Amino acid sequence: MSKLLKSMALVAVMSMSALTAQAQDGPLKIGYVNSERVLREANLAKAAQLKLETEFGKRDKDLKDLEAKLRTAADKLEKDAPTLAEAEKSRRQRDLVEQDRDLQRKRREFQEDLNQRKQEELSGVVERANKVIKQIFDNEKYDLILQDAIHFSARVDITKKVIDALNAQK
């Protein structure tokens, strides 16, 4: 069994024994939060997405324009190839390969920059969401709040409550 599975099994056993002990004091209060839904629906997350689109929109458009220009040049070369001298045809092919390589490099850099910024923006949203979840946990006296469970009942889903609390913050 892998270390991760052993760790998960140990945590599950410890959690169950703690919950069993707690159950003797009264009914358990358990909540579930769908993190993906919070990151998709909370106003803070939507604002972060809009900020990223604004920040990276021009670069994305420039890359698409460059790609269209390269495609047009490749089509033109294919059309003109039968009438071109072999040296000219080779020169144009080398130019296209070099331009394509440059485009791929720019696309990779763009994706890396976008991913880094997305992580930065989302980490702020996650941090605030976790604070809201902790407040709900404390204020409403939950025994356990889970994030991203495989199966859950709608009766324990507090995702909407978390989203509403995040949206209420300024």
Side-chain angles (χ1 to χ4, degrees), residues 6-100:
K6 286 179 184 177
S7 297
M8 289 173 60
L10 181 61
V11 168
V13 168
M14 290 172 53
S15 297
M16 291 309 293
S17 61
L19 289 175
T20 302
Q22 177 66 31
Q24 295 170 357
D25 297 335
L28 291 176
K29 189 168 182 182
I30 298 174
Y32 161 75
V33 178
N34 181 329
S35 300
E36 182 181 314
R37 188 171 152 213
V38 170
L39 292 175
R40 189 178 59 244
E41 295 179 16
N43 291 341
L44 193 60
K46 290 177 183 177
Q49 183 63 34
L50 186 61
K51 184 177 180 181
L52 289 171
E53 288 171 8
T54 302
E55 187 175 332
F56 287 91
K58 184 183 181 327
R59 272 178 72 185
D60 186 41
K61 183 187 178 311
D62 290 347
L63 283 172
K64 287 177 181 172
D65 290 347
L66 196 58
E67 187 175 348
K69 182 179 170 185
L70 184 61
R71 197 176 308 114
T72 301
D75 291 345
K76 182 169 175 26
L77 174 61
E78 189 177 317
K79 182 181 150 211
D80 294 346
T83 62
L84 291 176
E86 197 59 39
E88 177 64 15
K89 190 162 100 176
S90 294
R91 186 191 65 76
R92 282 190 183 180
Q93 285 173 334
R94 277 192 310 274
D95 287 348
L96 283 174
V97 168
E98 188 176 314
Q99 289 173 14
D100 185 55

Side-chain angles (χ1 to χ4, degrees), residues 70-165:
L70 184 61
R71 197 176 308 114
T72 301
D75 291 345
K76 182 169 175 26
L77 174 61
E78 189 177 317
K79 182 181 150 211
D80 294 346
T83 62
L84 291 176
E86 197 59 39
E88 177 64 15
K89 190 162 100 176
S90 294
R91 186 191 65 76
R92 282 190 183 180
Q93 285 173 334
R94 277 192 310 274
D95 287 348
L96 283 174
V97 168
E98 188 176 314
Q99 289 173 14
D100 185 55
R101 194 175 303 128
D102 187 49
L103 173 64
Q104 297 307 320
R105 179 187 53 77
K106 287 179 180 180
R107 188 176 284 136
R108 268 191 316 276
E109 289 173 357
F110 170 80
Q111 200 59 51
E112 289 170 4
D113 291 348
L114 177 62
N115 288 342
Q116 180 180 350
R117 284 288 296 125
K118 189 180 283 187
Q119 279 302 112
E120 291 169 3
E121 289 294 325
L122 289 181
S123 69
V125 174
V126 167
E127 185 178 317
R128 298 219 5 221
N130 284 338
K131 286 179 183 176
V132 164
I133 292 167
K134 175 71 169 120
Q135 288 173 339
I136 291 170
F137 178 85
D138 291 338
N139 294 342
E140 298 185 21
K141 305 208 183 325
Y142 276 87
D143 295 307
L144 176 68
I145 294 180
L146 301 169
Q147 289 181 292
D148 304 322
I150 296 173
H151 300 285
F152 62 93
S153 166
R155 137 181 96 83
V156 297
D157 189 353
I158 63 168
T159 305
K160 175 115 174 71
K161 189 182 294 188
V162 172
I163 292 169
D164 292 343

